[in-house]
Amino acid sequence: GGFHVEDNAVATLIRVGVLRNRANTGGGLNAYRSRYDVFESVIDSNQATNGFGGGIAATSNNPAPSPVRPASVVNLTQTLLRNNTATTAGGGIAATGDNYCGGSTPTPSCTSVKASVSLTNSVLDSNQSPSQGGGLLLNRSNLAVAGSLIIRNSVTGGALPFGGGMLLTTASAATITGTTIARNTAGQYGGGIFMDDSASLQMNGSQLYDNTASVQGGGLFVGPNGSASGSIQDSIIADNTNY
């Protein structure tokens, strides 16, 4: 909707407003096997009108025997991502790595390239989708979050209203430090964080606070598929409902 970059392109945005753009997928920024470095910017009120990634979509499929193009990368520093919406999944950000393993059937154990997302001293606020990740959707992706806020995002109304703040699936891995995840809402599971399908989570020095899920896992929900892993240390988990 606002920008599209593809195949090894690198876009650097410094003190930019990406506002009120619309596209089927990637309402504000869209990346396909390429990279965004965003500094001191505002990504606000963009819409994915018939797909995923209301604020940002980053996809990486490369069904070749050996990868010749990179996974997509999105780096946000001192940036506000707010009030973005998607009609299917990933209201704020949706990132997916290569799901084809060089053309073979997708499996959680696929070793092909993963997409990458980092949030540093940034804010994800009041983003929405009906299914799978109101704030963030990570599918076969790596996530690093430091010194940030993930707040007031929601996922409701769809067939899979999981992960109000973020959803980690299909061997995604998240490292979260010094971050607050608060007042996010899920229509079923994982108000703050939903993880499943061999995802992993490392959280340190963070707060998982006052998140809500209508069924289970107001703060954190770990699904039954694959082998989830990780640890939470030196953190606060408080006042989440249900469970």
Side-chain angles (χ1 to χ4, degrees), residues 32 44 48 53 68 77 83 86 90 94-95 99 105 111-112 114-115 122 127 144 164 181 200 224 228 233 241:
Y32 184 58
D44 193 335
V68 295
T77 302
N83 295 331
N99 282 308
T105 302
T111 57
S112 57
K114 294 183 180 182
S122 294
N127 302 286
I181 302 171
S200 65
Q233 299 181 3
T241 57

Side-chain angles (χ1 to χ4, degrees), residues 11-213:
T12 302
L13 280 61
I14 302 172
R15 293 185 294 279
V16 172
V18 182
L19 313 173
R20 300 181 298 278
N21 302 286
R22 301 176 68 182
N24 281 347
T25 295
L29 305 176
N30 195 64
Y32 184 58
R33 299 186 300 212
S34 54
R35 174 172 174 160
Y36 279 106
D37 295 322
V38 183
F39 301 90
E40 300 175 13
S41 295
V42 176
I43 302 169
D44 193 335
S45 301
N46 302 283
Q47 299 179 44
T49 57
N50 193 30
F52 55 87
I56 302 172
T59 54
S60 308
N61 280 339
N62 184 25
S66 60
V68 295
R69 300 180 180 92
S72 285
V73 176
V74 175
N75 298 319
L76 305 183
T77 302
Q78 296 182 9
T79 289
L80 172 63
L81 191 78
R82 177 179 61 190
N83 295 331
N84 301 284
T85 60
T87 55
T88 60
I93 300 173
T96 63
D98 182 3
N99 282 308
Y100 288 92
C101 292
S104 64
T105 302
T107 65
S109 61
C110 172
T111 57
S112 57
V113 294
K114 294 183 180 182
S116 176
V117 176
S118 72
L119 309 174
T120 305
N121 300 329
S122 294
V123 178
L124 267 64
D125 180 14
S126 301
N127 302 286
Q128 302 177 40
S129 71
S131 291
Q132 295 186 311
L136 280 159
L137 165 63
L138 284 302
N139 183 309
R140 207 182 303 282
S141 299
N142 294 322
L143 172 68
V145 184
S148 295
L149 300 174
I150 300 174
I151 57 174
R152 300 186 297 190
N153 303 284
S154 63
V155 55
T156 59
L160 301 170
F162 307 159
M166 69 175 69
L167 183 143
L168 310 171
T169 188
T170 321
S172 291
T175 300
I176 301 172
T177 57
T179 290
T180 296
I181 302 171
R183 297 189 177 178
N184 302 285
T185 302
Q188 289 188 0
Y189 303 107
I193 301 173
F194 178 98
M195 57 184 291
D196 197 11
D197 203 7
S198 301
S200 65
L201 171 67
Q202 301 290 336
M203 180 183 291
N204 188 62
S206 296
Q207 296 82 42
L208 195 59
Y209 173 76
D210 197 20
N211 301 284
T212 302

